[in-house]
Amino acid sequence: MFRFIVRRLLQMVVAFFGTTLIVYALMFAGQGDPIQALAGERPVTAAQRAYLTEKYHLDATGVGGFFYRYFDYISNLLRGDLGESLTGRSIGDILAAAWPVTIKLALIAIAVAVIFGVTAGVLAGIRRASIFDNATLLLTLLVLGIPTIVLAPLAQYFLGVKWQLFPATAGADPDFYALLLPGIVLGSLSLATALRLTRTSVAENLRADYVRTARSKGLPNRRVVSVHVLRNSLIPVITFLGVELGNLMSGAIITEGVFNIPGVGFNLFRGIRTEDGPLVVGIVSVLVVVYLVSNLVVDILYAVLDPRIRYE
């Protein structure tokens, strides 16, 4: 296990540097005028040009200059300095204000997936080929076929504007009720995937030899399902939900943008829209770390939950 963790940490380092280099290059290296790339379509005065040249070391040109600026950015990043956006605000302060909102939204989405998706998946797996099973498969197929960019505006219009069951937008300081509808929308794809994964896992384990052995010993069906089947069936589901939590925290751009939620995805969307290069690179760098750490935790948790698994 120790060697596995060390190997995964080394892979995380390579993935981090590779991903941040690609993002940094996409934002800055392909532009003829790097200062105009930083400022987007806004006009740049001579004073602003001189300030940006000194701040981002743009006087170093060529391939060597690009890598010098990249490693200067990485060195600041490793010290916890994410830099400033083009508006002059610290990116660290922006993320500090946005993270609590995004974490709340992601937890609501995960709770929706666990409460409804896993529960319905267990029932569908036990009652395989029943009306309930066929209905859930059809509904999840429908949900998976609708992208979030379509589902979010539809939910906002019907449930928020037309029927007024939920707030149409979250606002600057959203409470739990304001985040409930966006959380349901964000967690809908996770719910559908968790349901289908749980159903398949439960149905497969019900046909396993150890289940037939337990039933032949006279154990009641409720104990067989709750103690033996669920314990083995939920391992891949827990793994999926662990990875999905990292995805939800980093992939809520559309949902936060539609519902005007001041989270990480909303600020990333704003940075892309306004062509704020430092803000985009800073947020993406942090999201890469969050995603890599969540994957590492899930890999370790997988071995803890199932002692049969051994990482060589």
Side-chain angles (χ1 to χ4, degrees):
M1 175 63 76
F2 176 76
R3 286 182 296 177
F4 165 75
I5 295 176
V6 172
R7 187 167 66 248
R8 288 289 283 116
L9 288 174
L10 294 176
Q11 292 173 353
M12 287 172 59
V13 172
V14 174
F16 171 76
F17 281 105
T19 306
T20 52
L21 177 62
I22 292 173
V23 174
Y24 195 89
L26 289 175
M27 292 303 300
F28 301 127
Q31 302 289 338
D33 186 355
I35 295 179
Q36 196 62 54
L38 285 168
E41 297 181 355
R42 289 169 289 188
V44 182
T45 65
Q48 291 173 330
R49 183 173 289 272
Y51 171 74
L52 292 173
T53 300
E54 180 182 359
K55 182 176 181 180
Y56 293 102
H57 308 286
L58 297 178
D59 50 346
T61 58
V63 177
F66 166 75
F67 281 103
Y68 173 79
R69 292 190 297 272
Y70 169 72
F71 285 112
D72 179 70
Y73 166 75
I74 288 296
S75 64
N76 292 329
L77 180 64
L78 295 177
R79 292 194 299 267
D81 182 11
L82 296 174
E84 296 179 350
S85 68
L86 292 182
T87 60
R89 187 180 176 188
S90 170
I91 298 176
D93 293 341
I94 294 175
L95 287 174
W99 269 121
V101 180
T102 296
I103 291 174
K104 290 178 185 177
L105 183 63
L107 291 178
I108 292 174
I110 282 292
V112 169
V114 171
I115 294 173
F116 297 101
V118 175
T119 303
V122 171
L123 295 176
I126 295 174
R127 303 174 181 176
R128 190 180 179 190
S130 64
I131 296 178
F132 178 80
D133 181 32
N134 293 328
T136 53
L137 288 178
L138 180 61
L139 289 175
T140 53
L141 184 63
L142 181 63
V143 171
L144 291 173
I146 303 177
T148 306
I149 197 171
V150 175
L151 184 61
L154 288 176
Q156 182 185 48
Y157 173 72
F158 285 105
L159 299 178
V161 177
K162 188 173 183 179
W163 298 330
Q164 297 183 358
L165 299 176
F166 299 94
T169 57
D173 188 18
D175 56 10
F176 173 79
Y177 185 62
L179 293 175
L180 186 56
L181 178 59
I184 294 173
V185 172
L186 182 62
S188 60
L189 295 180
S190 302
L191 184 154
T193 305
L195 192 155
R196 297 176 74 93
L197 182 61
T198 305
R199 173 204 176 266
T200 302
S201 185
V202 169
E204 180 180 351
N205 278 285
L206 283 173
R207 297 193 300 269
D209 292 337
Y210 71 88
V211 173
R212 286 193 292 268
T213 302
R215 286 174 173 167
S216 66
K217 290 181 178 180
L219 293 178
N221 189 62
R222 177 176 298 180
R223 179 173 176 80
V224 172
V225 172
S226 60
V227 176
H228 299 282
V229 175
L230 285 184
R231 182 177 179 179
N232 294 311
S233 299
L234 293 182
I235 291 176
V237 179
I238 293 174
T239 305
F240 163 75
L241 292 176
V243 175
E244 193 67 10
L245 181 60
N247 292 337
L248 292 174
M249 287 193 293
S250 60
I253 300 176
I254 296 175
T255 305
E256 290 185 355
V258 170
F259 290 97
N260 195 29
I261 301 172
V264 176
F266 177 82
N267 284 280
L268 179 58
F269 175 73
R270 183 182 64 183
I272 295 173
R273 186 183 59 205
T274 59
E275 299 184 14
D276 192 332
L279 180 61
V280 173
V281 174
I283 293 178
V284 170
S285 299
V286 175
L287 293 179
V288 168
V289 174
V290 171
Y291 185 80
L292 292 175
V293 171
S294 66
N295 276 268
L296 176 62
V297 172
V298 166
D299 286 339
I300 297 174
L301 183 62
Y302 199 68
V304 172
L305 291 173
D306 192 349
R308 298 172 298 176
I309 299 174
R310 291 291 181 266
Y311 293 110
E312 299 296 338

